[in-house]
Amino acid sequence: MATFFGEVVVAPSRAGVDDEEEAREETPEDREIRRELEKKRQIDILWTLKSGATTESCADEPFACSKFIVAIGRNAAAFLSSFILDSVCWEVVGVVKLWNEWCRTSSTTNVLPTDSFCLFYRLISDPTVLVCQCSCYVAEDQQFQWLEKVFGCMRKEDLQVTILSTCPVADYKTQESTLTLPSPFLKALKTKEFKEQVCCPLLEQPNIVRDLPAA
């Protein structure tokens, strides 16, 4: 149960688990399969931040980042492409490699794989401004990895993060009829650290944000 509005909670579920399956001990073969799956589901991020060299980690000092804009989902990524990334002002500096039920990019090796759906761009005129275009599915057990590896490469001081995501109007909870609502429309959530003016009305209770945007 959430203790405040905006808290991320995960509801427990016993769906599909019976007493016999729960009581069955894990065999060595099961453990090996689980380890291989966990290894396969590891997320790797390739960066080309310095002199065109590709690296899979941030072994050096974290780089400075003043603004980080993340577009999650196909609609948000398409919006980013149409209104922000449609110029030569940006350069690709990173890509995410991951594997899960709905995404297959882990076998690629180049920094610009043709089948990747999660790219990082840097503003050429101001290298501290980064944009992430993430239209691939990041599974629940991979979301912490994604956050840890992406933000682990950035300095946290004076970093402003903006998340863009979409959801169906049918999921929007309101006393009005959703038929009379303009579509699309924009709502916002913000942390207490954000002191600037919000560009649109705040999201009303009991609406929530899910998955990677919530994480």
Side-chain angles (χ1 to χ4, degrees), residues 152-179:
C153 294
M154 303 177 187
R155 295 178 193 161
K156 308 302 188 298
E157 298 81 9
D158 301 320
L159 171 61
Q160 183 186 98
V161 181
T162 302
I163 310 294
L164 305 175
S165 66
T166 59
C167 68
V169 175
D171 292 345
Y172 180 61
K173 297 175 177 61
T174 176
Q175 293 182 347
E176 303 177 45
S177 170
T178 54
L179 297 176

Side-chain angles (χ1 to χ4, degrees), residues 9-211:
V9 294
V10 178
S13 173
R14 290 178 55 83
V17 178
D18 55 32
D19 293 337
E20 291 182 6
E21 184 179 352
E22 192 173 27
R24 184 171 63 87
E25 292 186 6
E26 190 178 46
T27 66
E29 291 79 8
D30 291 336
R31 284 193 293 272
E32 181 64 25
I33 292 172
R34 180 169 52 81
R35 280 195 296 267
E36 288 299 318
L37 281 174
E38 288 175 355
K39 183 179 178 181
K40 194 170 186 179
R41 295 176 76 89
Q42 289 292 315
I43 290 178
D44 292 314
I45 300 179
L46 303 179
W47 295 100
T48 55
L49 293 168
K50 296 180 181 178
S51 64
T54 302
T55 175
E56 287 200 9
S57 64
C58 290
D60 301 333
E61 242 183 76
F63 56 82
C65 186
S66 60
K67 288 182 172 60
F68 183 40
I69 302 173
V70 187
I72 301 173
R74 295 188 181 277
N75 291 333
F79 173 83
L80 212 63
S81 291
S82 300
F83 295 99
I84 297 180
L85 299 174
D86 62 340
S87 67
V88 294
C89 302
W90 302 86
E91 60 179 348
V92 176
V93 293
V95 64
V96 172
K97 293 167 53 178
L98 60 87
W99 180 96
N100 58 44
E101 296 81 1
W102 301 102
C103 186
R104 302 285 191 274
T105 66
S106 62
S107 60
T108 58
T109 55
N110 298 325
V111 73
L112 283 174
T114 55
D115 58 344
S116 174
F117 298 96
C118 189
L119 295 172
F120 297 90
Y121 297 82
R122 179 169 59 185
L123 187 62
I124 296 175
S125 60
D126 184 357
T128 67
V129 177
L130 259 66
V131 165
C132 175
Q133 192 179 34
C134 182
S135 58
C136 63
Y137 172 71
V138 182
E140 185 174 307
D141 63 311
Q142 296 175 315
Q143 291 168 13
F144 179 76
Q145 275 191 72
W146 195 97
L147 296 167
E148 186 179 45
K149 293 191 176 183
V150 171
F151 287 99
C153 294
M154 303 177 187
R155 295 178 193 161
K156 308 302 188 298
E157 298 81 9
D158 301 320
L159 171 61
Q160 183 186 98
V161 181
T162 302
I163 310 294
L164 305 175
S165 66
T166 59
C167 68
V169 175
D171 292 345
Y172 180 61
K173 297 175 177 61
T174 176
Q175 293 182 347
E176 303 177 45
S177 170
T178 54
L179 297 176
T180 63
L181 293 172
S183 182
F185 60 90
L186 193 63
K187 297 285 183 174
L189 285 174
K190 69 181 185 69
T191 62
K192 60 184 179 182
E193 286 80 12
F194 187 81
K195 304 300 183 184
E196 299 179 22
Q197 186 171 357
V198 182
C199 64
C200 61
L202 294 177
L203 185 66
E204 309 90 343
Q205 298 188 44
N207 293 286
I208 60 174
V209 178
R210 297 182 175 87
D211 302 323

